[in-house]
Amino acid sequence: MYAIIATGGKQYTVEENQVINVEKIDAEIGASVNFSVLLINDGGNVLVGNDVAGAHVEATVLAAGKDKKVIVYKYKAKKNERRRQGHRQPFTTVKITSIVK
């Protein structure tokens, strides 16, 4: 059985006991969080729309961190303007504990 959840403006396909990185969540390590469900597939029977109105996915926060640095260059021709900037996107690692229909 798997579910599709939405968090941080993105959608993820998750199964029980799966560990995923999602956009940063303001929760402490070890805390339990719930995600809203868009779709549930339990082996041939697909639930979507009003069928998943009360469904949610429970997860436990394992860690928080930052991705690898991405370097951004800005350059203006003939103006001697050059700018170098780095960015590290924060993320939260969660473990999916259960999918509740």
Side-chain angles (χ1 to χ4, degrees), residues 81-94:
E81 288 186 31
R82 293 170 180 85
R83 182 173 176 184
R84 178 177 181 258
Q85 182 178 9
H87 174 75
R88 292 182 69 192
Q89 185 69 27
F91 67 87
T92 303
T93 303
V94 296

Side-chain angles (χ1 to χ4, degrees), residues 1-97:
M1 174 162 74
Y2 69 88
I4 297 178
I5 62 171
T7 180
K10 297 179 179 146
Q11 296 177 3
Y12 301 91
T13 302
V14 297
E15 295 178 0
E16 289 187 10
N17 298 321
Q18 182 180 7
V19 177
I20 60 171
N21 289 338
V22 296
E23 293 293 318
K24 183 181 177 190
I25 301 171
D26 290 330
E28 294 187 18
I29 296 174
S32 179
V33 293
N34 291 336
F35 297 112
S36 60
V37 174
L38 302 176
L39 179 141
I40 295 177
N41 185 347
D42 58 354
N45 188 15
V46 177
L47 304 175
V48 68
N50 289 333
D51 297 335
V52 294
H56 64 276
V57 171
E58 296 175 354
T60 304
V61 176
L62 298 179
K66 291 183 178 181
D67 277 336
K68 292 183 179 179
K69 184 175 279 192
V70 176
I71 304 298
V72 179
Y73 291 102
K74 292 185 179 180
Y75 172 77
K76 302 275 186 175
K78 303 175 188 167
K79 303 279 194 262
N80 198 21
E81 288 186 31
R82 293 170 180 85
R83 182 173 176 184
R84 178 177 181 258
Q85 182 178 9
H87 174 75
R88 292 182 69 192
Q89 185 69 27
F91 67 87
T92 303
T93 303
V94 296
K95 180 177 182 179
I96 307 301
T97 55

